[in-house]
Amino acid sequence: MSIPFGGYASPEQIMRDRAEYARKGIARGRSVVVMQYADGILFVAPNPSKALHKISEIYDRIGFAAVGRYNEFESLRLAGIRYADINGYTFNRNDVTGRGLANLYAQHLGMIFTESIKSFEVEIVVAEVGDAPEDDQIYRITFDGSVFDEQGMAVIGGQAEAVGGRLKERYSDGLPLPQALDAALTALTEPGGERPPATQIEVAVLDRGREHRKFLRLTGPRLEKLLEAAKEGREGGQQPAAEQAPTEQTGAEQTGAEQAPDTAPPIAPDGDIDTGSGE
């Protein structure tokens, strides 16, 4: 029996090669921290880009964070928004949950990983803020469709293990927002390294105290004030007082009423735009 040109690769070897390819792509991305704080869920990511966001709103009380190829995780984000809008409009807004979105993304990524020649080079987090801290949900979804129900915090990206270790040393339940941000930035900064300025980080919260839409992106003077409060608390050796996020609505991402079935077909990559400026 003749051996085809190029030899034979077993299914196990193919899966290992795809996994290794995806991991290498994700490893090039800077880590993102998602963690609970006293009044909700905090998202922090090093990101000098003002156009390519790693952190976004999906629905009223659901946030999204990702690392990897921008065009790939952006297509996932848009699919999640379509799913949420259609289900919220057709049934009830309370029927749109973080768990449902995590399952949707797991189906997409799992199908792409097993059936496509190239797997997605992404890792994502879906977080939903509840009426009480015990109702908060944080799900981490990997490139092969695996879902992890994280407790209190999640770290994704190339240095996730090291960042997660540093974060665990500083994390505790019920941290005020300035102290939670300080812990996240400390974890994201290499030992002995210099923290990035406010213009080089992306910060957002899901604030359970806000009416209707819980997502709030923290930028400009608001973020500067929060960083200053965190610095004062760190230098003074005291916990900074919790800072209430303003309740005004912001220009979070809006979506049209595009129709999509509950189980949308797998999403194929639509380009080769990488996040070199945002990763």
Side-chain angles (χ1 to χ4, degrees), residues 38-209:
D39 299 317
I41 299 175
L42 170 68
F43 301 77
V44 185
N47 187 2
S49 173
K50 301 301 180 185
L52 308 180
H53 293 303
K54 295 181 179 181
I55 301 166
S56 299
E57 179 184 25
I58 292 288
Y59 210 53
D60 296 347
R61 58 190 183 277
I62 302 174
F64 173 95
V67 295
R69 277 192 173 271
Y70 176 78
N71 65 304
E72 294 178 349
F73 68 68
E74 178 68 3
S75 67
L76 291 171
R77 184 186 72 87
L78 293 175
I81 291 174
R82 287 194 295 268
Y83 167 89
D85 278 349
I86 294 302
N87 279 271
Y89 178 79
T90 305
F91 303 106
N92 187 288
R93 300 185 78 84
N94 293 328
D95 291 331
V96 180
T97 65
R99 180 178 298 175
L101 280 162
N103 288 333
L104 176 74
Y105 288 139
Q107 291 175 25
H108 283 331
L109 290 171
M111 193 174 298
I112 291 168
F113 180 73
T114 57
E115 297 184 1
S116 299
I117 295 176
K118 174 193 172 299
S119 59
F120 270 21
E121 299 169 60
V122 299
E123 191 171 8
I124 63 177
V125 168
V126 173
E128 178 181 359
V129 68
D131 295 329
E134 57 268 22
D135 299 324
D136 292 346
Q137 300 175 25
I138 301 176
Y139 299 100
R140 178 170 59 89
I141 303 100
T142 59
F143 59 88
D144 60 354
S146 299
V147 182
F148 299 88
D149 185 359
E150 303 288 358
Q151 302 300 314
M153 62 181 183
V155 180
I156 54 176
Q159 303 297 319
E161 186 174 345
V163 173
R166 293 193 291 268
L167 183 61
K168 287 179 181 178
E169 296 175 357
R170 295 162 178 81
Y171 175 82
S172 63
D173 293 337
L175 288 175
L177 181 55
Q179 187 176 349
L181 178 58
D182 183 70
L185 290 174
T186 300
L188 288 166
T189 305
E190 292 286 344
E194 185 176 348
R195 290 190 177 194
T199 56
Q200 301 290 309
I201 57 175
E202 186 176 358
V203 181
V205 294
L206 290 171
D207 183 354
R208 77 178 88 258

